[in-house]
Amino acid sequence: MPDNVLKLGIPAGSLQESTAELFQKAGYRITFSSRSYYPTIDDDEIECLLVRAQEMARYVEQGILDAGITGYDWVLETGADVEEICELVFSKVSRRPVRWVLCVPEDSPVRSVRDLEGKRIATEAVGLASNYLKQHGVRATVEFSWGATEVKPPTLADAIVEVTETGSSLRANNLRIVEEVLQSTTRFIANKQACNDGWKRNKLDNIALMLSACLAAEGKVGLMMNIKKEDLANILDVLPALQKPTVSSLSDADWCDVYTIVDEKVVRTIVPKLKSMGARGIVECPINKIIE
Amino acid sequence: MPDNVLKLGIPAGSLQESTAELFQKAGYRITFSSRSYYPTIDDDEIECLLVRAQEMARYVEQGILDAGITGYDWVLETGADVEEICELVFSKVSRRPVRWVLCVPEDSPVRSVRDLEGKRIATEAVGLASNYLKQHGVRATVEFSWGATEVKPPTLADAIVEVTETGSSLRANNLRIVEEVLQSTTRFIANKQACNDGWKRNKLDNIALMLSACLAAEGKVGLMMNIKKEDLANILDVLPALQKPTVSSLSDADWCDVYTIVDEKVVRTIVPKLKSMGARGIVECPINKIIE
Amino acid sequence: MPDNVLKLGIPAGSLQESTAELFQKAGYRITFSSRSYYPTIDDDEIECLLVRAQEMARYVEQGILDAGITGYDWVLETGADVEEICELVFSKVSRRPVRWVLCVPEDSPVRSVRDLEGKRIATEAVGLASNYLKQHGVRATVEFSWGATEVKPPTLADAIVEVTETGSSLRANNLRIVEEVLQSTTRFIANKQACNDGWKRNKLDNIALMLSACLAAEGKVGLMMNIKKEDLANILDVLPALQKPTVSSLSDADWCDVYTIVDEKVVRTIVPKLKSMGARGIVECPINKIIE
Amino acid sequence: MPDNVLKLGIPAGSLQESTAELFQKAGYRITFSSRSYYPTIDDDEIECLLVRAQEMARYVEQGILDAGITGYDWVLETGADVEEICELVFSKVSRRPVRWVLCVPEDSPVRSVRDLEGKRIATEAVGLASNYLKQHGVRATVEFSWGATEVKPPTLADAIVEVTETGSSLRANNLRIVEEVLQSTTRFIANKQACNDGWKRNKLDNIALMLSACLAAEGKVGLMMNIKKEDLANILDVLPALQKPTVSSLSDADWCDVYTIVDEKVVRTIVPKLKSMGARGIVECPINKIIE
Amino acid sequence: MPDNVLKLGIPAGSLQESTAELFQKAGYRITFSSRSYYPTIDDDEIECLLVRAQEMARYVEQGILDAGITGYDWVLETGADVEEICELVFSKVSRRPVRWVLCVPEDSPVRSVRDLEGKRIATEAVGLASNYLKQHGVRATVEFSWGATEVKPPTLADAIVEVTETGSSLRANNLRIVEEVLQSTTRFIANKQACNDGWKRNKLDNIALMLSACLAAEGKVGLMMNIKKEDLANILDVLPALQKPTVSSLSDADWCDVYTIVDEKVVRTIVPKLKSMGARGIVECPINKIIE
Amino acid sequence: MPDNVLKLGIPAGSLQESTAELFQKAGYRITFSSRSYYPTIDDDEIECLLVRAQEMARYVEQGILDAGITGYDWVLETGADVEEICELVFSKVSRRPVRWVLCVPEDSPVRSVRDLEGKRIATEAVGLASNYLKQHGVRATVEFSWGATEVKPPTLADAIVEVTETGSSLRANNLRIVEEVLQSTTRFIANKQACNDGWKRNKLDNIALMLSACLAAEGKVGLMMNIKKEDLANILDVLPALQKPTVSSLSDADWCDVYTIVDEKVVRTIVPKLKSMGARGIVECPINKIIE
């Protein structure tokens, strides 16, 4: 047992697998057991605990956990006083942040939050919804919803404040988005006292560095190509290099090899251009991590 | 569309299937669609709505629903002012009521609710737990638990108030039951105004009659046997008849046939006795409903 | 191997399980093997073969099969010249017949089959659709659809002719029913020559008798009750008996026992009435078959 | 805790569910828990333990269990000295007993056990196979097979001794049955000393009585019909009654009601005959248990 | 909404997942929703539509779609007049093309298509089969098969024309391949008018370039090794380089580093040779795309 | 059909998938069919056969197989005289070897194998357990266990010898490990005669080379970074290079690019250090195989 240990909360449920995958890419192997809420991790200086995303910030604030992974929405909802180490932009379905939105039935006359005076609003995030109404000077009843919130209007509620990624569940229930209440991404948060402890702060920073390196690499690839030396300058000009391109010699002395890192999403537009400018043997390779 | 309609809440989730099965036995076919929270029922005078058991009493109290099926625990937790039409004693795993219990880790020094002064208690039923503590004059922090409550002690809570049927999940988490907070069974509840409406009251009573007839029949069977006329009096004496036994003639005039309804659980003890007293051709038949 | 054998087609796919269950209730155990299209049946005089419902009538007409179970829709679609032994009114989801309907998008101007002149219609039943158009004097393009027909309008087709039971898939795709093309139920069909063979005709009739006895019993139950002899005449008057009620003596000579068969769906209305008229110990029992 | 307790072995695996279902029908509710090999039973005088069918007889012989359910094959294979209380003829796939058969590849020259001199035989039942070879004076190598025995010939074995119900797995592997080594059904066995204990013997007999009553009822049904009094004698003559038919009066005095128990499999042949002899309102009812 | 949009058909069913994976590798993220036949794609210039492979060519020919992915077999079967942009050689089970074959039962006397005069042939591809028979001057009945075609001979058909990848389903049904009717691979097809539109043609070519780059990379890997400068020439001679090898310097000046792309399937034979010729630190790396 | 063929046993069951994946990485595609125990492999010189891990060594010793993959535990248990080609350290759950351990109930007085004199030990590996007892001079009864061994103590056995990876199943059954009997990893074994055949020996060595290259690469990655030429020497000093780092020029002449292979598990500690020493654009890339 090491002297120093970082108590780390892993979010149970929808973020659990993506969190474990991210840590695995970052070099930390987290193993879950169906019988235990204490996942193991191959770093003796870390102790993991599975905690609901909704409760994470509360336990981090209380110091029961030194740090944890959870959504910005639930940090706000609980109102917990915690330190944000870094933002982790990942999500199972898409790369977009989740959105909490105010919705009403398609045919409702409600057009703005101000039309909700005196109405009933159902939501799983009573704090978020109440604050939003207050900011806009609206008095309404906010009822906690135990689930299936999107089917409640119009019978069981006049409006809802609900989380959505793609909007498809809202459309399927004939709901219209009135306003966006909050955009939320995943965060790596820490207890404030833990941040003042030198050893823990350094540990938190190293973990954050590795997690960020993985996320930064997610949409990037290595691009390698053979270029005639006479074309080199022109082609380097159009390469959207994230770092300095590597230029190596080839067995044929008139040619050289260029390697660089680019955003995956520009590949489909830049490759036809590179080919037309004379690049040959263009090869795309995967990368795991990048620290710029 | 009929003039009179009863709006009936069906509990979504763990009670959903058993509720639908009970209604089916009672002669009402409820059909769920994966796309809708409005199940159909083959009675034009009833409109169904799927609602969480936790929220049922609230919506019945508000009159959004005329009646609904939910647990006694959630009626108490919400504190809703509703009318109980009848108790429905059924449950998927067993015939026993569910119990809400106060639990601590096996090795905790806590022996009674009075030892919880100043402690943290996690529970999904904050109202039930707070009332129980108050009744015993104990001040403690009750925190809402979003789930997996039974894994929280001792790290995330000192004690929990949790629901259990068989106790196996508690044992698996090394928890000890300190006290029972509540026993709860399923109830058929109604809005108070609906109960004062003659048509609705009659409709509610008829549904209750049929549901109760099915539940009463669940543990009962018909028992039919051939008996020599000379043995009839003796055997009728030992038959634990729920109603008057039917005596029919047989093709052989020295014998008669006796049919009666008995508890299924006495069959295994009474059949050997009946056989030893001369009963022959003992046949057990299933029954669907019984109204005594 | 018996001298006479009836070659019987069992419909593969959506009707397969319900057909096997019906035969099981009727006293014939059909066993499927994942490795074979020749199910076994515990009657040496029958040989089963799994055949698509769509192809059943064709093979019965050709005499490859003596008889088979399939839908009336596919009998019509193939135009096969076969003998209908009896109708079998059962269906997995409901007791209603399936319907083939002409559908268009909700916002289509099409209001009647006559508005389809020159349009494109997608359907799995090209024959049914073409005949229907012809009967109404409409010329349009009918295209065979390999599946997912209900998602084709408006991009891939102007209208569709599609089968539906509850209509929920049509609603989910924003389709409106313009007209009903056909109602269809399951049929027990036979080859015409087989019907002229005495042995086969008798075998077919016996199977039909047992299948029909099961289907007739599906919505019926036995109702048994104790009645004071003085109330007997009155109660017999209101009993919707399908046959003559059985009246037996009870151990208490002032009472008698009445047993009768009623439609299950009247139980929920008649039981309260019987109780109010003095019937006691009302017991509902299941029945398997009924031949009136 | 009662003074007397019967330790009962329930077979884990393929017989587990059918054993629990049979006990449930017999009036004993056995509940399995995924976390425990000690199923609960609603009879305080019985303690259950899940044990492999292969090991059951061994533990019953040693007295670790008082009684157990297992196959006759495994009783023989272990050579355990136990008492057979009764045979329980049930099986998930069919009503036929399982068979252990000696098999070879379709094209093997082996035609009888005598052709196996010097060959290699793979089997999960080394004792059964060795005894069989010995009885026929054949010397051969019998190798224990850990599973998938039917795929071993011809590469990994010359022949196998394998269990089969329908033979379909043998056919799929192109194996030919040379001889049947053993037919086996399920047995209720007991420890010899337990049988000499009065209380345990009586308990075992009562359980056996109820289990047998359920199995006896499995293929039987009640048949009820209205008969004109003048036809009664003729019809009673053809009724294959398992017991004395019950004759009750009807509201119409010219008719009477006859109720009797018959084998389910004769229903499909006797019902057409009864109808032709004048029986009307023929109703088939299910039965649960029968003790003749 | 951009001015120009390419309407692209994605094949529903067995090719759906592999198509989406190929597009993902090519840099286009296609997202399916269980509720919609309009998958989303992260390119505003493309609109996707899920269409059966069997119907794809028809809708591309009609111009409802600009382009689509489908099998060559279904292009031929429909006889649609479309432009083939490129061949996409991929398949879920293997890299081999699918084959449509003419099959008969193992013991059938049929040895060639010419033996089928007057016979019945069942197939899902009536057009392909009829053309094939016509080409060989054979007159026979071709019947459309709704599925499970391979179980039809000999009872329901004399021969079949069926698709196969590995032949295992044919062998399991004891069928023998008589002749191969067609080999088919996946194609990227386009509407002829769309091909004449400059913007659409360029878009189609760019997509084809990226798809082909991924498929070309599928069986290839990067091979990197340290080589003594004196061995360089010899080793470059034996390297099956797809492009010019990259030669880089090492920290140790007597050695250099060589990187090249090779077919994955030669790695297992060339690596032992390279090692024996002095290469050290041989490393194989994955690649995503290659444009030669 | 080639002249020379290597008969290779693939372990059925828990090792099957990981074996196939390892071969796939090594360049050999093994395809399983649900209908066959003869997997195909894309190397004409190899024939595969699925064999239980427990029986593998026996069939390799007998020469029915030339080689096979199995656990060291089962090689010992069978006592087969085979040649070990190489150790393959892989496992589905973890990278740790499996362990056979002697266990007793938590509260058993047994503290060492010597306390087992006269006791009953249940195990699936009767040979291993008996040898272990013999080595320690202990006489006890060893009974073959057909499964679920860990639930047997204390009722059905006093102790068990059981395999474990993480120990979680033992803990869940309240068992305590007394001693470790054996550590076991996966082995590539061969028949002794096959090893003396030149062609087979060479084939075995080549397969072993490729398998080992994949396993060696599993925990390794490529690390690439830009370094100022003036920092190069210092950074090369701290790089834990598994081979000579590759140094390439960059477009900016003051910088160079360094590529090297490192253990994945040091990345999380070395990357912060490299960054602090001036490395920029640090990129981690995956590798497939490494031959040092």
Side-chain angles (χ1 to χ4, degrees), chain E residues 186-254:
Chain E
T186 306
R187 306 293 164 99
F188 184 27
I189 58 170
N191 177 272
K192 295 216 153 176
Q193 275 181 285
C195 289
N196 291 330
D197 173 309
W199 181 87
K200 287 187 180 171
R201 180 77 218 190
N202 184 52
K203 187 81 190 171
L204 290 167
D205 286 344
N206 280 355
I207 295 171
L209 179 68
M210 299 313 288
L211 297 178
S212 300
C214 294
L215 291 168
E218 266 201 354
K220 296 197 177 57
V221 291
L223 215 52
M224 192 159 39
M225 68 207 80
N226 295 345
I227 299 177
K228 269 207 181 127
K229 284 184 177 162
E230 61 195 53
D231 297 327
L232 184 58
N234 285 340
I235 287 181
L236 288 184
D237 271 1
V238 306
L239 266 186
L242 297 174
Q243 54 179 52
K244 297 174 190 74
T246 310
V247 182
S248 310
S249 51
L250 288 180
S251 46
D252 178 336
D254 292 342

Side-chain angles (χ1 to χ4, degrees), chain B residues 24 26-29 35 42-43 206 209-210 236 243-248 259 261 286-292, chain C residues 95 168-169 172 221 224 226 248-252 255 257 264 267-268 271-272 275 280-286:
Chain B
Q24 170 120 9
Y28 303 88
R29 192 177 298 256
R35 290 194 175 93
D42 63 347
D43 181 333
N206 281 355
L209 179 68
M210 299 313 288
L236 288 184
Q243 54 178 54
K244 297 174 192 73
T246 310
V247 181
S248 310
Y259 176 87
I261 304 292
I287 68 171
N288 293 338
K289 298 194 184 81
I290 181 164
I291 297 107
E292 289 171 52
Chain C
R95 300 239 167 106
S168 69
S169 174
V221 292
M224 192 159 36
N226 294 345
S248 310
S249 52
L250 287 179
S251 46
D252 177 338
W255 290 72
D257 179 89
E264 189 189 4
V267 170
R268 69 194 196 201
V271 156
K275 198 180 170 194
R280 289 295 172 269
I282 306 171
V283 173
E284 183 197 300
C285 305

Side-chain angles (χ1 to χ4, degrees), chain A residues 30-129:
Chain A
I30 297 177
T31 311
F32 300 108
S33 153
S34 64
R35 290 194 175 94
S36 166
Y37 271 71
Y38 292 87
T40 59
I41 188 167
D42 62 346
D43 181 332
D44 288 347
E45 298 176 344
I46 304 178
E47 271 179 25
C48 291
L49 183 57
L50 268 180
V51 171
R52 292 263 160 154
Q54 293 98 324
E55 302 174 336
M56 185 70 75
R58 186 211 291 165
Y59 293 128
V60 170
E61 181 189 32
Q62 294 174 1
I64 293 174
L65 299 171
D66 291 314
I69 311 285
T70 189
Y72 178 60
D73 42 8
W74 294 111
V75 176
L76 280 195
E77 171 72 14
T78 52
D81 186 25
V82 296
E83 179 101 1
E84 181 180 317
I85 303 294
C86 68
E87 190 179 2
L88 303 173
V89 186
F90 69 106
S91 146
K92 258 190 2 189
V93 175
S94 69
R95 301 243 166 104
R96 287 172 288 181
V98 300
R99 302 162 64 210
W100 285 85
V101 289
L102 175 66
C103 299
V104 295
E106 279 288 1
D107 55 4
S108 161
V110 171
R111 293 286 149 189
S112 128
V113 61
R114 282 184 197 82
D115 302 334
L116 289 175
E117 187 75 26
K119 303 288 186 187
R120 282 169 310 132
I121 292 114
T123 183
E124 229 188 323
V126 171
L128 287 181

